[in-house]
Amino acid sequence: MTSTPTLPPSALQPYANARILLFSNAIPGVLDSERTGRFVFEGFLKRLRGISSKENAPGLDTGDFTYEGYLTRGTVLPLTPSQPWDWLAADISWSTSGIRPVSATTPALLTPCFGSVWLGPLSELRTPGLLPSPTRGQLGAFSVTEFGGLYGAGGIGSLTQPLLGERVQAALKPNRVAVVGSGDSLNVLAERHGTTVTTLRSLNPTITARPSDQLPLGSWLFLPKRRAAANADTSTTALPAGFYTPETLATYLGVSLSTIYSWNSSGYGPPFVKLGNLVRYTYEEVELWLARQLELSRG
């Protein structure tokens, strides 16, 4: 059995301002591969800067905010949560101080890794775990790009890391976590946030509900980056609910209009129907086609 080094309490623990939930994956760095571990940390973080459209990079999107700081304590949680906000409970039993926990049954947490963060006064946390008032902190998705850094764990790092904790570099992604309200289903959330049911399932693999089923009230899920809407021609006749035009489908899928027309000619892409001289795609057929592409991409 792998043992975790015993460290003194982090000198930064009294100043910790973040509760962080992170997932490990079967294929490290492949965030949509099977989840193999669930880790919770507290940390001392400071914001660095916002990311502009010219600074996009792996793990960084326009509108993100970069953070750096130190882990102050952590532990491994059961892979299946006891309730949606168990990671925000006040009375968590911590297993390590300042570093990532390691065990024989849970793979190590490696970067890049993804999860969520609550930034705010940790005195606001309660048991059982509940999401504090949004006026007291900020909930967002959290993408960690590096653990350690600067000195690492050896050399001078062997002096600084036990005192400060393991260094972390990450990006906070605002508006990428949704709290489920009354009437919210996968269909409703996909339409509200300009995405697809297939995409929501890929980001939230534990959701097994049918697209039209009410999701557990008060639970939460990850959202994808929202694409900017293309300029629409408001002079055209309104489209009946349940259909895409080639233009709106191209915007929805993030491809060019010429790509959509090429797919139509070659027999690739979602099935379409002809309404006189008009080409239309039903929401259902587009979702089924996307689901098939996701299955094929996973082998």
Side-chain angles (χ1 to χ4, degrees):
M1 180 176 178
T2 304
S3 61
T4 301
T6 301
L7 295 177
S10 167
L12 294 176
Q13 181 58 47
Y15 312 103
N17 59 354
R19 180 68 68 87
I20 306 163
L21 176 71
L22 295 172
F23 297 97
S24 59
N25 297 91
I27 306 174
V30 181
L31 303 183
D32 61 354
S33 64
E34 180 186 1
R35 289 177 181 171
T36 55
R38 201 165 64 107
F39 299 76
V40 64
F41 300 93
E42 287 183 349
F44 173 75
L45 302 178
K46 68 173 182 178
R47 194 177 91 173
L48 299 180
R49 60 190 176 86
I51 299 299
S52 71
S53 60
K54 296 180 180 180
E55 298 174 296
N56 289 351
L60 293 175
D61 300 309
T62 303
D64 288 356
F65 294 95
T66 57
Y67 278 76
E68 72 173 4
Y70 296 89
L71 302 178
T72 58
R73 56 186 180 181
T75 196
V76 180
L77 294 177
L79 190 56
T80 302
S82 58
Q83 55 99 342
W85 302 101
D86 64 347
W87 63 282
L88 289 181
D91 63 350
I92 285 177
S93 178
W94 303 100
S95 62
T96 62
S97 175
I99 61 173
R100 289 166 284 166
V102 177
S103 75
T105 57
T106 304
L109 181 63
L110 304 175
T111 56
C113 55
F114 190 78
S116 54
V117 64
W118 188 79
L119 280 166
L122 301 184
S123 59
E124 293 290 318
L125 302 182
R126 298 289 181 266
T127 297
L130 295 171
L131 178 65
S133 166
T135 63
R136 301 296 297 145
Q138 181 176 10
L139 176 70
F142 202 61
S143 176
V144 176
T145 55
E146 184 181 29
F147 290 114
L150 287 184
Y151 306 114
I156 195 171
S158 64
L159 300 176
T160 60
Q161 186 167 292
L163 294 174
L164 297 177
E166 194 169 16
R167 185 170 173 268
V168 60
Q169 289 186 301
L172 182 144
K173 299 174 178 294
N175 305 314
R176 295 280 295 276
V177 173
V179 179
V180 175
S182 178
D184 284 348
S185 64
L186 287 173
N187 281 339
V188 169
L189 290 171
E191 182 175 1
R192 180 184 303 156
H193 296 284
T195 185
T196 68
V197 170
T198 301
T199 300
L200 290 178
R201 288 195 187 279
S202 69
L203 290 172
N204 304 277
T206 60
I207 294 179
T208 58
R210 294 177 299 179
S212 59
D213 288 348
Q214 162 77 51
L215 295 171
L217 190 65
S219 61
W220 62 278
L221 70 164
F222 292 117
L223 299 173
K225 175 186 175 184
R226 190 179 184 110
R227 298 189 181 98
N231 292 331
D233 181 0
T234 57
S235 66
T236 59
T237 302
L239 185 67
F243 288 89
Y244 292 105
T245 65
E247 292 80 7
T248 58
L249 181 64
T251 299
Y252 183 51
L253 297 179
V255 300
S256 67
L257 184 58
S258 61
T259 296
I260 296 294
Y261 288 134
S262 175
W263 287 354
N264 292 350
S265 299
S266 64
Y268 185 70
F272 60 88
V273 295
K274 294 292 291 288
L275 304 175
N277 293 326
L278 302 177
V279 174
R280 297 293 183 261
Y281 311 80
T282 67
Y283 287 176
E284 292 79 7
E285 290 288 359
V286 170
E287 291 296 335
L288 288 172
W289 179 79
L290 283 169
R292 287 194 293 269
Q293 305 315 302
L294 184 61
E295 290 174 1
L296 291 172
S297 69
R298 291 177 172 174

